[in-house]
Every structure is written in C-alpha cells, then in structure tokens.
C-alpha cells in the first residue's frame, strides 16, 4: 500500500475515533446531568422522561425541554412550587401520582395550558387546593385518592378542572364541617347541597351580627351620653335652688348672660 494511502487511512481512522470519543463524552455528560433513577426514552414517537421510583423530593430541574411525556410517579415530592414546569413547553402528559404532594402553588402549571392534555395527581396528600392553581389548564385531571376537605374551595376546584372519566368517584370526603359527609364521594354530596351557598349564608349572617353589634354599641353610647348630661343638668339645677334667692338670681343671670 502506498505511503499516501496509509497516511490517509490513518487520518480517517483517527477522525472516526475522535468523533466516537466526543459522542461518548456527550452521552456520559448528559446522563450525569440527570438525577439518579431518571432516564430519557422514546415511546410511540414521543420523547419521554421517566423518574418513577427515583426517591425524588422535588421536581428535577434538568429535564430535557423537548419532553412530551414526564413520569414523576411514586416519589417523595411534597409540594409543587410556582413555575415548576415552565421550561417544558411541549409537555403532553404529566404523571405525579403516588407522591406526598400536599400543596400546589398558584402558577405551578404555568406554561402548560396550551399543550398538556393529561395530569395525574392521584394518591397524594391534597386536602385543599385553590382553583387558581389550575387556571387556564385544559388537561384531563385525576384528583382521586387524596384526603380532601369537602368545602366550598373543593367545590370551586371541581367546577374548574376537567376530570378524567371515571375518576370522580375517587374524590372522597376525608373531612367535612358536617360529619355525615365523611367517607362519601364528593359529587354525591354536592348533588344534595351547595357548600358555597352555605358559606355565603354563614358569611352574611356573620356580617349582620357584626353590624348589629356595632349598632347596639353606638345606641348604648348615645343613651349613656344623654343620661349623663341630664344628670349633670339636674345636679346643677338643684345646686341653684339651694342658693339664697339674690345669689340664685345673680347666678341665673350670669348663666343666662354666659349662654347668650
């Protein structure tokens, strides 16, 4: 083999080896950036990122921003902060089931309204969540198997979100102002009563009681003020009557002059 061909072959071989090393280093660097137990894959043509059973205590920050399906189920995540998923504009499915989520801040799902079509929050520790946390979200939401407090807030939340078909029966009253509701499906309870209407009536009654209290205080003060002045006037008249006639007339004239 001519020397020139040997040199060319060696150069090509070295170039391919260098490219392989660079590719391997890139893969290792990307893998090292992911939390332990998390890995990317592709399922049915969709880019998926799985972190199931990874012992996570917060939402990972290094999730690829082209992820379509994100699985964070069966971890130890306690709450969802504001803008937790803001860097995932292409996310279609989000699974947060079987965590310890007890709080969802307003704006936690901001940036997902346009594309997200499935959100699973089942089997967590949600007791009460503001409807604003799901503002503008069009996804089908699963809220079953949480220790819900059945009240007006939950009623407003249920009216705001689009529940996954068949999941409403799993939204059960773990606690309620009325003991007979505990253990019942929330939709069954609100079929017979309106928590928000009851709350409004209670608030109205409280306002009326407060206003009546203030009104009674004002009336009491006015009565006291009038009686006190009458008592002072009576004492003054009795004092004038007790004076000798000339002095009394002088006192009365002085009083009249002062008044005029």
């Amino acid at each position: 083999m001519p020397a020139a061909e040997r040199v060319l072959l060696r150069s090509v071989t070295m170039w391919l080896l260098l490219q392989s090393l660079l590719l391997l280093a890139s893969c290792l660097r990307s893998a090292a950036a992911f939390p332990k137990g998390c890995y990317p894959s592709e399922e049915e043509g969709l880019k998926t990122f799985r972190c199931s059973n990874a012992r996570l205590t917060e939402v990972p920050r290094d999730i690829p921003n082209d992820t379509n399906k994100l699985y964070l189920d069966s971890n130890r995540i306690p709450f969802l902060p504001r803008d937790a998923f803001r860097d995932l504009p292409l996310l279609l499915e989000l699974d947060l089931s079987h965590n310890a989520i007890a709080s969802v801040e307003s704006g936690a799902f901001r940036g997902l309204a346009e594309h997200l079509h499935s959100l699973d929050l089942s089997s967590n520790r949600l007791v009460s969540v503001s409807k604003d946390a799901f503002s503008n979200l069009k996804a089908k939401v699963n809220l079953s198997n949480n220790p819900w407090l059945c009240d007006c807030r939950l009623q407003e939340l249920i009216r705001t979100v689009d529940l996954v078909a068949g999941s409403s029966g799993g939204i059960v009253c773990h606690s309620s102002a009325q003991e007979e509701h505990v253990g019942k499906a929330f939709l069954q309870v609100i079929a017979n009563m309106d928590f928000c209407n009851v709350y409004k009536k209670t608030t109205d009654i409280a306002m009326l009681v407060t206003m009546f209290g203030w009104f009674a205080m004002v009336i009491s003060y006015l009565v006291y003020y009038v009686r006190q002045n009458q008592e002072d006037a009576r004492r003054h008249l009795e004092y004038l009557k007790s004076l000798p006639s000339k002095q009394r007339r002088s006192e009365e004239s002085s009083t009249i002059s002062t008044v005029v």
Side-chain angles (χ1 to χ4, degrees):
M1 180 181 295
E5 291 184 3
R6 287 199 301 272
V7 171
L8 179 60
L9 181 61
R10 185 178 300 170
S11 298
V12 171
T13 303
M14 290 298 294
W15 183 82
L16 291 174
L17 180 60
L18 179 61
Q19 290 295 317
S20 299
L21 290 173
L22 289 174
L23 181 61
L24 179 60
S26 177
C27 292
L28 290 174
R29 185 166 57 252
S30 298
F34 298 147
K36 184 179 180 181
C38 300
Y39 62 91
S41 63
E42 188 166 324
E43 299 178 6
E44 300 177 351
L46 298 175
K47 293 187 176 180
T48 303
F49 194 75
R50 286 190 175 274
C51 288
S52 304
N53 292 294
R55 298 184 179 181
L56 299 177
T57 55
E58 63 180 3
V59 176
R61 299 179 181 178
D62 300 312
I63 303 171
N65 57 15
D66 60 349
T67 298
N68 302 127
K69 300 170 69 175
L70 176 59
Y71 292 90
L72 299 174
D73 56 299
S74 303
N75 283 290
R76 304 171 183 173
I77 300 172
F79 76 102
L80 300 178
R82 184 186 302 271
D83 295 322
F85 307 98
R86 65 179 179 180
D87 296 324
L88 302 173
L90 303 180
L91 197 62
L92 301 175
E93 297 182 18
L94 176 58
D95 189 347
L96 291 160
S97 63
H98 296 90
N99 272 280
I101 300 171
S103 174
V104 180
E105 289 188 1
S106 180
F109 304 110
R110 186 159 48 192
L112 303 181
E114 294 299 322
H115 299 283
L116 192 70
H117 64 70
S118 177
L119 172 60
D120 194 345
L121 282 166
S122 63
S123 301
N124 276 282
R125 298 178 184 174
L126 296 172
V127 175
S128 183
V129 180
S130 170
K131 63 179 181 178
D132 296 334
F134 299 86
S135 180
N136 300 319
L137 205 62
K138 300 174 183 177
K140 294 282 187 179
V141 183
N142 189 345
L143 298 173
S144 61
N145 299 320
N146 282 281
W148 291 109
L149 166 63
C150 289
D151 59 1
C152 179
R153 203 177 192 195
L154 179 58
Q155 184 171 318
E156 290 181 336
L157 174 62
I158 297 300
R159 288 174 175 173
T160 300
V161 300
D162 186 6
L163 296 176
V164 172
S167 68
S168 60
I171 302 175
V172 177
C173 298
H174 184 267
S175 58
S176 176
Q178 300 183 27
E179 190 67 27
E180 65 268 20
H181 296 155
V182 176
K184 294 182 179 180
F186 185 66
L187 292 187
Q188 177 186 349
V189 172
I190 60 175
N192 301 315
M193 72 170 298
D194 188 335
F195 279 95
C196 295
N197 191 41
V198 170
Y199 174 78
K200 184 177 183 300
K201 287 181 178 179
T202 304
T203 304
D204 291 344
I205 292 171
M207 289 180 64
L208 287 173
V209 170
T210 302
M211 290 175 64
F212 178 79
W214 278 105
F215 182 73
M217 289 176 63
V218 171
I219 295 299
S220 299
Y221 175 78
L222 289 175
V223 171
Y224 168 80
Y225 180 79
V226 170
R227 286 182 176 177
Q228 187 67 30
N229 285 347
Q230 287 178 342
E231 183 66 21
D232 291 341
R234 185 184 63 79
R235 288 176 182 174
H236 186 65
L237 288 174
E238 289 178 352
Y239 169 74
L240 291 176
K241 290 178 180 179
S242 67
L243 294 175
S245 59
K246 290 184 179 179
Q247 186 178 358
R248 185 169 64 250
R249 283 197 295 271
S250 176
E251 286 281 348
E252 288 176 350
S253 300
S254 176
T255 303
I256 293 171
S257 300
T258 303
V259 171
V260 173

